[in-house]
Amino acid sequence: MIELKGISKTFPSQKGNQPVKALQNVDLHVAQGEIFGIIGRSGAGKSTLLRLVNGLETPTNGTVRVDGQEISQLAEKELRYARQKIGMIFQHFNLLQSRTVWKNVAFPLEMAKKPKETIRRKVDALLEQVGLSDRAQAYPSQLSGGQKQRVGIARALANDPKVLLCDEATSALDPETTSSILDLLREINRETGITLLLITHEMSVVQAICHRVAVMEGGQIVERGEVKSVFGNPKHSVTKQFVQQTEWMQSSDFPVQSTEKTRFHCSPDEMQDVWAKIGPAVQSGRVKVSVSERELKADGGMTFLIDGKREDVEQLLDSLHEEADLEVNVHV
Ligand SMILES: Nc1ncnc2c1ncn2[C@@H]1O[C@H](COP(=O)(O)OP(=O)(O)OP(=O)(O)O)[C@@H](O)[C@H]1O
């Protein structure tokens, strides 16, 4: 259903910087009806790959085919039509704030110039499907995050797409809401046979819903296969990191041997100050810091996991407390 062959994408240099090789020689095949996950760290090239699938970016080399149609070769008008068959949902929902829920879902149908009666029937059915019939006349600002994503899903399905692209669709949601949205996506996949391609930095999302997964790093797919075998027997260092991080997060007891491991959370506003303190400490090699994915979602902030000798960890925490004036919650 989705086929990428020999895909490279280089963004030209800007302000004297080097050109960015966002994707390098990527091959990918996603079968019809499959739920396929792409996982990778920030900057790995996930969004660029997704944007190539719906023609928002064109490849520097290679071909992108969706349902047999070569997306990378379509003229603007044909591309607009092809995009109706490729739905997309986003991390921050991208709803039209001035339109009601009902009108948001109707929007792509209006764009496709569907008759009024068809629109009415379709929108009502979609709202029923995502469990939002009773909020049809509400505005996005009156909805919870999970409800907003349900509107996003209904809108993405309006033109009966064959493919649904999910761009970090649950990253802004709390764990419980994430789980209900993933359940809904799984149900839609089962009932309609729609192909799902989702990008995420959360291994738990891939484990919950995907049949197969590809791990990306540095613009390349470094590992791929069935979810269980990739995560059960990780080969590449990035995959190993995802697995270790998840195991670490799931364990209530942090392994403390010759090192201490500490976690603390910071809100989006505090992020810049935190990075300014953490960067030099990490570069000095005294501590290792990783980011926990689970709490990343709750308020858009991040939970950091610090690993190092007790005195070095304490020194970093002290500097975070004192100099950056942060409210640091530490759990050892
Ligand atoms: N329009 C652009 N112009 C220049 N460079 C870009 C552009 N879009 C992406 N890049 C670069 O391409 C690389 C891959 O970015 P991309 O957004 O695809 O990664 P990602 O895995 O989705 O990361 P994130 O999870 O942070 O969004 C990065 O180095 C990024 O800075």
Side-chain angles (χ1 to χ4, degrees):
M1 176 57 74
I2 301 173
E3 183 124 39
L4 274 63
K5 273 204 180 140
I7 288 292
S8 300
K9 177 70 185 178
T10 303
F11 291 105
S13 60
Q14 279 175 338
K15 298 181 197 152
N17 290 336
Q18 293 288 316
V20 179
K21 289 183 177 175
L23 294 173
Q24 299 181 62
N25 203 20
V26 171
D27 289 326
L28 181 73
H29 177 247
V30 181
Q32 183 173 353
E34 189 170 27
I35 306 182
F36 197 102
I38 303 218
I39 190 167
R41 299 189 292 206
S42 185
K46 309 180 293 293
S47 305
T48 305
L49 190 148
L50 212 64
R51 289 166 62 79
L52 281 161
V53 174
N54 70 358
L56 284 170
E57 298 282 3
T58 47
T60 310
N61 283 307
T63 53
V64 179
R65 282 179 187 275
V66 178
D67 198 20
Q69 207 170 23
E70 193 168 332
I71 297 291
S72 35
Q73 293 296 317
L74 295 179
E76 192 54 37
K77 199 173 159 201
E78 297 165 312
L79 186 58
R80 266 205 306 276
Y81 183 72
R83 278 208 197 109
Q84 290 179 8
K85 297 292 156 202
I86 306 173
M88 185 148 171
I89 56 173
F90 307 88
Q91 177 175 4
H92 297 297
F93 323 120
N94 296 11
L95 302 179
L96 298 164
Q97 298 299 319
S98 61
R99 284 183 157 229
T100 61
V101 165
W102 201 96
K103 284 271 184 185
N104 262 281
V105 180
F107 188 69
L109 294 160
E110 289 167 8
M111 290 289 107
K113 301 196 166 36
K114 292 280 158 60
K116 274 204 168 115
E117 184 50 27
T118 310
I119 296 180
R120 194 190 58 74
R121 262 188 287 115
K122 188 74 191 174
V123 175
D124 286 348
L126 284 164
L127 288 180
E128 170 95 39
Q129 188 173 13
V130 301
L132 278 184
S133 302
D134 58 339
R135 303 308 313 269
Q137 295 313 316
Y139 285 88
S141 62
Q142 300 169 315
L143 302 178
S144 68
Q147 288 173 327
K148 285 181 195 164
Q149 194 56 289
R150 284 170 189 267
V151 181
I153 293 170
R155 180 184 57 183
L157 297 178
N159 282 310
D160 297 317
K162 297 194 165 169
V163 168
L164 181 60
L165 307 178
C166 309
D167 183 358
E168 299 278 4
T170 54
S171 297
L173 305 175
D174 62 58
E176 224 171 283
T177 314
T178 291
S179 158
S180 78
I181 292 294
L182 294 178
D183 285 348
L184 176 63
L185 289 174
R186 199 189 296 108
E187 193 180 298
I188 290 166
N189 164 263
R190 222 177 8 232
E191 281 173 8
T192 66
I194 193 171
T195 307
L196 259 69
L197 177 61
L198 60 91
I199 62 171
T200 182
H201 61 275
E202 295 178 293
M203 192 173 125
S204 51
V205 168
V206 175
Q207 284 175 312
I209 188 175
C210 295
H211 304 131
R212 286 195 301 152
V213 62
V215 183
M216 284 195 78
E217 174 72 356
Q220 293 176 319
I221 294 180
V222 295
E223 200 160 351
R224 71 177 91 204
E226 302 284 326
V227 172
K228 271 193 188 146
S229 68
V230 168
F231 292 145
N233 184 18
K235 303 226 161 41
H236 193 274
S237 60
V238 173
T239 322
K240 285 181 185 165
Q241 261 175 31
F242 276 113
V243 173
Q244 275 164 5
Q245 197 171 310
T246 303
E247 283 171 357
W248 186 9
M249 281 174 351
Q250 282 166 353
S251 107
S252 51
D253 260 346
F254 288 132
V256 180
Q257 291 160 4
S258 58
T259 61
E260 298 280 331
K261 283 184 179 162
T262 308
R263 51 198 285 151
F264 73 93
H265 188 75
C266 76
S267 70
D269 295 339
E270 295 166 333
M271 205 89 81
Q272 216 174 345
D273 287 336
V274 168
W275 278 123
K277 296 289 162 201
I278 285 180
V282 171
Q283 272 163 16
S284 74
R286 287 185 290 110
V287 295
K288 285 184 189 160
V289 175
S290 59
V291 175
S292 148
E293 58 175 9
R294 194 188 290 163
E295 291 85 349
L296 192 69
K297 307 181 284 185
D299 63 357
M302 279 190 184
T303 295
F304 293 89
L305 311 167
I306 309 178
D307 186 356
K309 282 199 205 122
R310 177 179 281 277
E311 56 189 316
D312 293 327
V313 172
E314 278 175 0
Q315 201 179 347
L316 174 58
L317 288 171
D318 283 349
S319 80
L320 286 166
H321 267 305
E322 288 164 20
E323 293 176 46
D325 196 22
L326 300 166
E327 208 177 293
V328 176
N329 296 314
V330 180
H331 316 275
V332 179

